[in-house]
């Protein structure tokens, strides 16, 4: 298997894992009576922590580099992607879903943004956050 393909498969597996961490944590916290905003903040933070740890060690196998700077870059890339890029993509593609079933009109733009965000994250994680150390 090509190394690039293996990395992309590992990235997908990590995405599934951190999404499950987020979803399970959110569900458990919500069922325990934690307010939605707090439950979401805690669950997405747990998902991002899982994502950073697994992407660093498993996906990109970044054994070198400053963990603190990688964590800061990871948080910046991920937060910007979630809270800035996704809303922009949703706004840009919403018109393409006008006239469709109301669920499709809501889910379609969000899924489009998620796909864009996957590419965004993978590209910036591999080239910026966990880039291989340059050969001396």
């Amino acid at each position: 298997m090509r190394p690039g393909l293996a990395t992309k498969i590992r990235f997908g597996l990590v995405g599934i894992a951190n999404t499950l961490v987020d979803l399970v944590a959110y569900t458990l916290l919500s069922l325990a009576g934690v307010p939605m905003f707090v439950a979401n903040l805690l669950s997405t933070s747990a998902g991002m922590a899982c994502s950073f740890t697994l992407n660093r060690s498993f996906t990109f196998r970044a054994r070198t580099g400053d963990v603190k700077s990688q964590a800061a870059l990871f948080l910046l890339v991920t937060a910007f992607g979630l809270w800035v890029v996704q809303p922009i993509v949703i706004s840009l593609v919403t018109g393409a879903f006008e006239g469709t079933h109301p669920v499709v009109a809501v889910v379609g733009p969000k899924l489009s943004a998620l796909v864009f965000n996957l590419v965004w994250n993978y590209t910036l994680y591999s080239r910026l956050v966990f880039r291989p150390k340059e050969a001396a």
Side-chain angles (χ1 to χ4, degrees), residues 102-136:
V103 173
V104 174
V106 171
V107 174
K110 177 65 173 175
L111 288 175
S112 300
L114 286 170
V115 169
F116 186 89
N117 205 235
L118 284 172
V119 175
W120 166 273
N121 284 343
Y122 183 84
T123 301
L124 292 175
Y125 292 169
S126 64
R127 295 183 181 176
L128 178 66
V129 179
F130 304 115
R131 75 173 175 251
K133 188 176 179 180
E134 298 294 326

Side-chain angles (χ1 to χ4, degrees), residues 25-127:
Y26 179 78
T27 301
L28 293 174
L29 290 165
S30 294
L31 291 173
V34 175
M36 182 275 296
F37 180 79
V38 175
N40 189 58
L41 180 64
L42 293 172
S43 70
T44 56
S45 296
M48 280 200 290
C50 173
S51 180
F52 174 76
T53 302
L54 291 176
N55 274 309
R56 184 175 195 275
S57 63
F58 177 65
T59 303
F60 298 104
R61 298 180 176 167
R63 310 277 190 251
T64 60
D66 178 35
V67 176
K68 288 180 184 177
S69 87
Q70 287 174 340
L73 286 170
F74 178 87
L75 182 60
L76 181 66
V77 165
T78 304
F80 191 82
L82 288 173
W83 300 327
V84 177
V85 174
Q86 274 198 27
I88 291 170
V89 173
I90 289 169
S91 295
L92 290 173
V93 303
T94 294
F97 293 91
E98 285 180 10
T100 62
H101 187 277
V103 173
V104 174
V106 171
V107 174
K110 177 65 173 175
L111 288 175
S112 300
L114 286 170
V115 169
F116 186 89
N117 205 235
L118 284 172
V119 175
W120 166 273
N121 284 343
Y122 183 84
T123 301
L124 292 175
Y125 292 169
S126 64
R127 295 183 181 176

